[in-house]
Amino acid sequence: MTEEKPINHPRLILGAVGLALGIATLILTILDAVTADTAVRFLAVSVICFGISALLPGREQ
């Protein structure tokens, strides 16, 4: 039998939040439902999430 590989939950969650914020910013901008200032804040939080996710230690092989 093969062993299941453990999932690194913090990296997964931070990556998903960053991606969701990027997509939400795009959709809200297309719908003209958000100001430029708020869109930049959303994207800044998205980049912060991706940065933290990249800094977390990965699974050793």
Side-chain angles (χ1 to χ4, degrees), residues 16-36:
V17 168
L19 181 63
L21 278 171
I23 293 172
T25 303
L26 175 68
I27 299 299
L28 289 172
T29 303
I30 290 172
L31 294 175
D32 200 26
V34 67
T35 63

Side-chain angles (χ1 to χ4, degrees), residues 8 10-16 47-58:
N8 192 345
R11 286 187 80 165
L12 179 68
I13 291 170
L14 287 170
V47 168
I48 290 169
C49 286
F50 283 132
I52 293 172
S53 174
L55 290 175
L56 290 175

Side-chain angles (χ1 to χ4, degrees), residues 36-49:
D37 183 46
T38 306
V40 169
R41 289 181 188 185
F42 283 165
L43 292 175
V45 172
S46 176
V47 168
I48 290 169
C49 286

